[in-house]
Amino acid sequence: MKPFAYHRAQSLRDIPDGATIIAGGTNLLDLMKHEIATPNTLVDISHLDLNRIEPEADGLRIGALVRNSDLAADPVIRRDYPVLSRALLAGASGQLRNMATTGGNLMQRTRCPYFYDLRTQCNKRAPGTGCAAMGGVIRNHAIFGASPDCVATYPGDMAVALSALGAEVEIAGPDPRRVPVADFHLLPGNTPHVETRLRPGEIITAVILPAPVTGEQRYRKVRDRASFAFALVSVAAVITMVDGRITRAALACGGVAAKPWRDPECEAALVGREPSDALFEQAASLMLRSASSQEGNAFKIPLLRRTLIATLRDATGLEPAP
Ligand SMILES: Cc1cc2nc3c(=O)[nH]c(=O)nc-3n(C[C@H](O)[C@H](O)[C@H](O)COP(=O)(O)OP(=O)(O)OC[C@H]3O[C@@H](n4cnc5c(N)ncnc54)[C@H](O)[C@@H]3O)c2cc1C
């Protein structure tokens, strides 16, 4: 690890220009040990007053330093936003969730093995060097929104649930604003090193949840091991039904793109319809119409189809086909 200066921030204004923020450190310290991140100055924000969950309009304001374990266990989150609690509990391990923060979780970096291997080309780690994953070993890589410059995925679970819930990221800095979680992460294009809408000198201060939605919420994650593994694919679903028909559907998919993947046409196709296997097959086909894969990650296309259909059946109470 390269030497660095350490500063413990006393307030949001006490973050020097160009400094790298550390919150729980569960991702950043790994990146520093691998010398993928080599900050000159590390600013520890973990003592700032950003660790509360409080009412905000009809929803909730989750401070950027709220730990993943505290958020998952919060009684209001469990009651009104269970998809968020389930997504968090499907991530990492108990020890990691005790350290990991809401802001850090949103900002966690990809798990593409080439990003971690300094001997290989990676446009995300070293812009302009190329993408060793193209023509390399592809497995946990994107099936949506990839570019010739990058095929890496955003690996987190929490943001997938937040996207389906319509949450927003609160950003502090010279241009304070809120950005929908669904728009916060960026597709790679020809700038895969620019991963989010957060600009230099800005910090996430909170995530804002809208008023809870009536209906069913599910998070289904498929991974190599039953715990302590990132998603191969995941699906967050928030579904409202009235008189046997779907009146609102929000679906976000994880492990398949550089951002939680949503498809408005797929969601719209469900609205006004009665749940059925034919409908869910149609929705899955819509979702997957823009998917593309290479040999190593082709399995994700049928896997996402099955996971999406199973999640929809579960959320709408449709009995599995005999
Ligand atoms: C073995 C292992 C398994 C894991 N499995 C999963 C999993 O299955 N699912 C999953 O979702 N995650 C998983 N994770 C990732 C884990 O959830 C993240 O490491 C964690 O959420 C990051 O939060 P942190 O507070 O520790 O961030 P840090 O490591 O402190 O920071 C991460 C990044 O966020 C930036 N940052 C932190 N806070 C802010 C802020 N407020 N504003 C702006 N930038 C900020 C930092 O500068 C840094 O770039 C796993 C991690 C490990 C090590």
Side-chain angles (χ1 to χ4, degrees):
M1 193 189 288
K2 295 215 165 127
F4 58 90
Y6 174 86
H7 176 69
R8 180 177 285 186
Q10 303 301 321
S11 73
L12 279 177
R13 288 197 191 87
D14 185 24
I15 301 176
D17 276 352
T20 298
I21 290 167
I22 185 163
T26 61
N27 188 211
L28 185 58
L29 284 178
D30 278 351
L31 297 172
M32 289 171 65
K33 287 181 205 162
H34 285 88
E35 298 194 352
I36 295 159
T38 52
N40 294 323
T41 305
L42 209 53
V43 175
D44 181 356
I45 61 165
S46 62
H47 291 76
L48 299 185
D49 182 20
L50 296 172
N51 57 2
R52 275 174 285 153
I53 303 171
E54 50 200 359
E56 166 93 10
D58 294 332
L60 285 181
R61 184 176 193 280
I62 302 162
L65 290 172
V66 172
R67 306 281 174 179
N68 287 180
S69 45
D70 292 334
L71 187 55
D74 183 85
V76 180
I77 296 289
R78 284 167 56 103
R79 186 191 65 205
D80 292 340
Y81 307 94
V83 66
L84 177 56
S85 182
R86 288 182 194 135
L88 284 160
L89 293 174
S93 66
Q95 292 92 334
L96 282 160
R97 293 194 296 268
N98 284 341
M99 287 304 294
T101 64
T102 303
N105 194 309
L106 281 171
M107 293 297 291
Q108 65 176 287
R109 310 292 303 277
T110 186
R111 296 283 160 170
C112 174
Y114 298 102
F115 176 72
Y116 278 85
D117 185 348
L118 290 176
R119 297 163 304 180
T120 63
Q121 303 164 316
C122 174
N123 287 319
K124 198 181 263 305
R125 171 169 37 76
T129 56
C131 174
M134 292 293 176
V137 178
I138 289 268
R139 184 159 189 273
N140 198 15
H141 290 84
I143 54 171
F144 295 116
S147 78
D149 286 342
C150 185
V151 70
T153 53
Y154 167 76
D157 292 292
M158 181 189 76
V160 182
L162 289 176
S163 179
L165 286 166
E168 293 181 318
V169 184
E170 182 187 87
I171 295 172
D175 176 24
R177 63 197 184 284
R178 290 182 180 180
V179 175
V181 172
D183 298 334
F184 182 69
H185 297 94
L186 299 172
L187 294 178
N190 58 8
T191 53
H193 59 291
V194 184
E195 296 175 339
T196 70
R197 295 208 182 273
L198 203 71
R199 301 177 196 132
E202 294 185 329
I203 178 171
I204 298 170
T205 44
V207 165
I208 313 295
L209 284 171
V213 176
T214 319
E216 295 296 318
Q217 302 182 13
R218 296 289 185 278
Y219 188 73
R220 190 177 281 242
K221 174 175 176 177
V222 182
R223 48 192 154 171
D224 282 328
R225 293 186 298 263
S227 81
F228 211 37
F230 289 91
L232 293 168
V233 306
S234 69
V235 174
V238 181
I239 305 283
T240 310
M241 288 182 54
V242 176
D243 297 334
R245 288 184 187 273
I246 298 168
T247 55
R248 187 181 178 282
L251 301 169
C253 304
V256 290
K259 60 186 291 183
W261 190 257
R262 288 190 70 167
D263 187 317
E265 277 188 51
C266 168
E267 294 172 18
L270 294 165
V271 174
R273 307 281 301 276
E274 286 180 16
S276 71
D277 283 318
L279 177 65
F280 296 159
E281 289 285 353
Q282 182 198 339
S285 295
L286 274 172
M287 177 70 82
L288 286 161
R289 71 193 184 289
S290 57
S292 68
S293 63
Q294 300 176 45
E295 192 183 338
N297 67 346
F299 73 96
K300 282 193 176 184
I301 293 180
L303 185 60
L304 181 59
R305 172 181 291 277
R306 289 197 298 273
T307 307
L308 186 62
I309 291 171
T311 309
L312 286 169
R313 278 190 184 135
D314 187 22
T316 58
L318 187 70
E319 292 297 317

